[in-house]
């Protein structure tokens, strides 16, 4: 934060207590076209990023998994297949529209057990201490007002030895790639948003929010400061996306 009581909403400075409502408006707007836009924006590569996340999660049969900002349920669906009926998968999202889209999508796929749903704020997770073997948050942390508070909340609900995985847009490692990515994000994404979702402003915000998100090393330090150990990150697609992983101490 640059001044007390203020935080970033994209490139704008807004009051801390206003950000959640502004972010909610973005995702209410894009929920119905979210999956289609993800495929168009990433050329389908987001599926590979999520597959890598699942591979590094260490989730096994019978585990409990919390997918925060789980949106339309891509990760939750895969985790449900892995943990089986003996396990537990909670799809959580602060945004009612996104949660409804995700729940309807998974029900349409015939996925019932072991899934449950919770409208929840990552900063104040409504779950008991030491509840989950794994917590994931994919493309959601950058929208959280107080990321440090959210990371501590995630640590609290993890079991000792449990894993946190944060999949998020990050900072490209190559200058040429970075310039091309900026040109794409600020010139193409809002136009795609207008064409497909009828909303260019929300995709302008999403592009700005990516630029305001902490880089790879900064987020790793934030996880360590929150109490995680053995923190590491894996760059994908030249650092456009990074997967951070940390463990809750025993």
């Amino acid at each position: 934060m640059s001044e007390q009581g203020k935080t970033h909403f994209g490139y704008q400075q807004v009051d801390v207590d206003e950000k959640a409502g502004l972010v909610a408006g973005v995702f209410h707007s894009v929920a119905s076209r979210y999956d289609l836009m993800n495929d168009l924006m990433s050329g389908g590569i987001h599926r590979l990023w999520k597959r890598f996340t699942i591979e590094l999660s260490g989730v096994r049969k019978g585990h409990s998994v919390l997918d925060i900002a789980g949106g339309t349920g891509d990760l939750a669906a895969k985790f449900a297949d892995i943990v089986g009926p003996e396990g537990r998968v909670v799809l959580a999202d602060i945004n009612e529209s996104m949660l409804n889209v995700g729940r309807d999508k998974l029900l349409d796929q015939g996925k019932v057990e072991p899934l449950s749903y919770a409208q929840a704020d990552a900063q104040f997770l409504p779950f008991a201490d030491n509840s989950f073997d794994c917590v994931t948050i994919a493309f959601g942390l950058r929208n959280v007002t107080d990321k440090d508070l959210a990371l501590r909340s995630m640590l609290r609900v993890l079991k000792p030895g449990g894993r946190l995985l944060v999949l998020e847009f990050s900072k490209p490692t190559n200058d040429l790639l970075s310039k091309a990515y900026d040109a794409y994000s600020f010139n193409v994404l809002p136009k795609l948003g207008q064409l497909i979702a009828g909303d260019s402003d929300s995709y302008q915000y999403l592009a700005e929010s990516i630029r305001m998100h902490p880089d790879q090393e900064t987020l790793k330090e934030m996880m360590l400061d929150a109490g995680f150990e053995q923190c590491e990150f894996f760059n994908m697609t030249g650092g456009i996306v990074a997967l951070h992983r940390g463990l809750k101490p025993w």
Side-chain angles (χ1 to χ4, degrees):
M1 290 183 199
S2 61
E3 56 183 288
Q4 191 170 6
K6 294 286 186 179
T7 189
H8 294 288
F9 175 71
Y11 288 165
Q12 300 177 53
Q13 285 279 306
V14 299
D15 290 340
V16 165
D17 57 3
E18 290 180 354
K19 179 168 180 176
L22 292 168
V23 171
V26 169
F27 285 94
H28 284 313
S29 174
V30 304
S32 64
R33 298 296 182 94
Y34 188 79
D35 283 338
L36 175 60
M37 282 298 297
N38 270 356
D39 281 331
L40 289 173
M41 288 188 300
S42 71
I45 298 174
H46 73 98
R47 300 176 189 277
L48 299 178
W49 299 332
K50 291 169 182 172
R51 186 182 303 167
F52 184 64
T53 302
I54 289 164
E55 289 174 357
L56 264 65
S57 70
V59 168
R60 302 189 302 276
K61 186 175 180 180
H63 273 185
S64 294
V65 180
L66 171 62
D67 183 26
I68 301 169
T72 56
D74 286 351
L75 287 177
K78 298 294 187 186
F79 282 130
D81 291 339
I82 295 170
V83 305
E86 304 91 345
R88 177 190 183 205
V89 177
V90 179
L91 171 58
D93 204 293
I94 194 172
N95 187 276
E96 183 182 11
S97 297
M98 292 293 290
L99 192 62
N100 287 340
V101 169
R103 181 175 56 212
D104 291 348
K105 175 180 164 184
L106 295 180
L107 288 173
D108 287 347
Q109 293 175 2
K111 295 186 183 297
V112 182
E113 292 184 346
L115 283 159
S116 60
Y117 304 88
Q119 188 171 354
D121 186 335
Q123 301 166 116
F124 308 102
L125 293 170
F127 307 105
D129 297 358
N130 309 315
S131 294
F132 296 97
D133 298 287
C134 181
V135 171
T136 58
I137 180 166
F139 307 113
L141 186 61
R142 72 180 187 279
N143 298 308
V144 175
T145 303
D146 190 332
K147 297 173 181 60
D148 296 306
L149 182 61
L151 289 170
R152 293 194 298 271
S153 185
M154 295 174 205
L155 182 76
R156 179 186 63 77
V157 302
L158 273 170
K159 297 176 183 178
R163 298 184 182 191
L164 169 67
L165 292 114
V166 180
L167 180 65
E168 188 55 88
F169 292 107
S170 201
K171 300 295 184 283
T173 54
N174 176 281
D175 285 342
L176 281 177
L177 178 61
S178 183
K179 289 175 182 175
Y181 182 45
D182 277 347
Y184 172 75
S185 297
F186 291 102
N187 295 311
V188 178
L189 281 192
K191 290 183 175 66
L192 266 180
Q194 183 62 44
L195 182 66
I196 303 300
D199 183 353
S200 61
D201 290 345
S202 289
Y203 286 92
Q204 178 74 25
Y205 158 73
L206 292 174
E208 292 176 2
S209 71
I210 291 167
R211 299 312 180 279
M212 300 306 296
H213 186 66
D215 65 18
Q216 289 91 325
E217 289 290 348
T218 303
L219 180 53
K220 178 182 173 181
E221 288 302 315
M222 290 169 67
M223 291 172 64
L224 289 166
D225 289 345
F228 288 94
E229 63 181 19
Q230 298 182 41
C231 297
E232 55 188 335
F233 63 84
F234 306 86
N235 284 324
M236 293 179 277
T237 318
I240 287 174
V241 165
L243 176 65
H244 283 70
R245 180 174 63 179
L247 304 183
K248 180 171 180 173
W250 288 94

